[in-house]
Amino acid sequence: MTLAINGGSPVRKSYLPYGKQCIEEDDIKAVVEVLNSDYLTTGPKVLEFEEKLKNYVGSKYAVAVQNGTAALHLAVMALNLEKGDEVITTPMTFAASSNCILYCGLKPVFVDINKENYNIDINLIESKITKKTKAIIPVDFTGQAVDMDSIMCIADQYNLKVIEDAAHSIGSKYKGKMVGSLSHMTTFSFHPVKTITTGEGGGITTNDKDFYEKLLLFRSHGITRNKEWLGNKEEGSWYYEQLEIGYNYRITDIQCALGISQLDKIDKFIKRRKEIVKIYNCELSKIDGVILQKEESFSDTCNHLYIIRLELDKFSATRNEIFNALKAENIGVNLHYIPVYYHPFYKNLRYEKGICPHAESLYESIITLPLHYSMIDQDIFDVIEAVNKVLGYYRN
Ligand SMILES: *Cc1c(COP(=O)(O)O)cnc(C)c1O
């Protein structure tokens, strides 16, 4: 069959996006109720969402913020590190996982990925620890939990703090425990392509009261009205003080109403994502030249992303040609991620190619396939058909 990119008819008539939110009538109703209420922001819905989030992940505290990047920024701020301190992270992530380190005047140190499961390589972390290393920010890439027992063991040994970037992994479990209370702080994103959404939104969960209080303070300018924190001064109830330099990273009640409604449905979202992944795994593993991400037995994964890796020597086309051919079949392919230090901004900070060879070679050979709750079975089969069609055409 002629590929759509060569003038043939595409596998699908309509374009299938790689990720998409699912908004239903009850979500809309929840948001409209807030619009008709007294509070648009910093009202009861924020607390209710935080309560729900912490109960869901099983942490003591949760702080909801404006987006996942703000969550990372506040979490790093709460560590109270000194300029020039080093923080270890993975290059196979969205730039925000590393930018949050730079926001605080700290130095990101990239540790290569495990070439099978694509998460930070546990065995390489120690070799990058110096006297200045103060923290690790592992990312649950695609939703698969990192081996947190091993990371916490290293952290304890070297007195490091761990912030788990769980933007992909809400609802995933590690050794039976929910992601969200496994490290010192865990950050989430509720961007529309993630498993649940608030439009823009993020959250931090922690079991540490000290971190929790710092996060609250930094979320709103460093200003507090908490009488205890202000030393119980004899002032009116209007009184507040700025104790630190913070930001306005507050989330609105409008967003949180949507978050509450979305979190109520997370089980069905997760169930469907797992069903889709199961069909993909079954059908795509049969295709010669396709490598799937290794599934570690310690992770019960709710996938945010589904990624195939190509054995490019088996094909007469480049990854980009295959990518474009799939797109022409109306499959919304994407690519996650460009290694963070490839970006010009990082190049200017003197990060050089070659520091994480596995991440670099993964980047050369991957394609992200569509994965979201609203995909019907025919959508899944269209993706599989298109992959078979395109790879069949180009196979040597
Ligand atoms: C989405 C994402 C973020 C940032 O979240 P936003 O809500 O878009 O700010 C951070 N880290 C990773 C790994 C992400 O995928």
Side-chain angles (χ1 to χ4, degrees), residues 115-157:
K115 64 180 178 197
E116 290 182 304
N117 68 27
Y118 311 157
N119 273 333
I120 192 167
D121 189 338
I122 302 298
N123 298 315
L124 296 178
I125 293 176
E126 280 193 85
S127 68
K128 294 290 173 111
I129 294 176
T130 70
K131 282 203 180 72
K132 290 190 164 176
T133 309
K134 298 291 159 57
I136 309 174
I137 305 182
V139 178
D140 300 323
F141 183 63
T142 72
Q144 176 159 249
V146 291
D147 182 0
M148 196 52 92
D149 280 352
S150 300
I151 292 177
M152 290 309 282
C153 183
I154 296 168
D156 285 346
Q157 199 179 330

Side-chain angles (χ1 to χ4, degrees), residues 67-69 72 93-94 96-97 139 165 167-168 189 191 194 201 337:
N67 53 62
T69 306
L72 282 162
T93 184
F94 183 57
S97 315
V139 178
D165 181 346
H168 297 181
S189 165
H191 181 276
K194 309 281 161 77
Y337 288 98

